[in-house]
Amino acid sequence: MQHYAMLYGAYLGVFWIVGALFFPLGLGNPLLFLVFISFVLCGPFIAYRYVRAYRNSACGGYISFIHGWTFTVLMYMFAALLAAAAHYVYFRFIDQGYILNTYAALVDQFFAQGSSDAAGMVAYKEQIEMALDQLSMLTPIEITLQLFSNNVFWGVFLAIPTALFAMKRVPPLNQ
């Protein structure tokens, strides 16, 4: 099980890395942000296909819920490890504050518009700026560990419906 979880986890991790490339690009281009969202939404369906492939190739076409859930959690964990390596490289060497600066510019632009939406949010502007200041104090490794734990956390929960849909019981023997 571990071998297949590592293999399919690597595939899923590469999928996540490619999708994550569209996040910073999407901050300046809504179409690219839509591509990022598409990657996020397709992730569980890709994971389901990998669990089904594991069930059919390694388990003889049958898998219990617990076996499927365990495999899926492991697969998400290995994918999160690979994605964490890419996240660390990005935040340590490439980002240099780009994401936070872009968010700050978007917040300033939103409140500078003076639209009716912004008028109701003025009370929250200071809180948003404080949150951005807190985020700017995080080191690349802290950001990476937060993203890793977030991926594993959601993977544990997404493994439940994935295992339920992939589960296939062994037919009873005819007596």
Side-chain angles (χ1 to χ4, degrees), residues 137-158:
M137 288 189 265
L138 293 175
T139 64
I141 194 70
E142 290 171 335
I143 296 169
T144 301
L145 289 174
Q146 179 62 41
L147 290 171
F148 172 74
S149 63
N150 199 24
N151 285 337
V152 171
F153 175 80
W154 285 109
V156 168
F157 286 110
L158 286 173

Side-chain angles (χ1 to χ4, degrees), residues 66-133:
I66 294 297
H67 188 166
W69 182 81
T70 305
F71 174 79
T72 308
V73 167
L74 285 172
M75 181 179 61
Y76 274 120
M77 187 190 68
F78 289 123
L81 279 171
L82 185 59
H87 288 144
Y88 179 75
V89 168
Y90 174 77
F91 285 108
R92 174 69 174 92
F93 301 107
I94 300 169
D95 184 66
Q96 304 300 320
Y98 171 76
I99 290 177
L100 283 175
N101 292 337
T102 304
Y103 271 131
L106 289 172
V107 168
D108 290 340
Q109 180 183 6
F110 177 75
F111 286 105
Q113 288 177 359
S115 67
S116 61
D117 293 337
M121 296 286 294
V122 171
Y124 300 106
K125 182 178 182 192
E126 186 176 314
Q127 291 178 349
I128 294 169
E129 289 172 348
M130 285 176 39
L132 289 174
D133 288 341

Side-chain angles (χ1 to χ4, degrees), residues 23-73:
F23 179 74
L25 299 173
L27 292 176
N29 184 337
L31 181 62
L32 293 178
F33 194 75
L34 186 61
V35 172
F36 166 73
I37 295 297
S38 300
F39 269 87
V40 170
L41 294 176
C42 288
F45 296 102
I46 301 280
Y48 167 72
R49 288 186 50 111
Y50 290 153
V51 174
R52 248 188 41 206
Y54 168 70
R55 176 193 72 195
N56 294 335
S57 65
C59 300
Y62 303 101
I63 193 168
S64 69
F65 170 77
I66 294 297
H67 188 166
W69 182 81
T70 305
F71 174 79
T72 308
V73 167

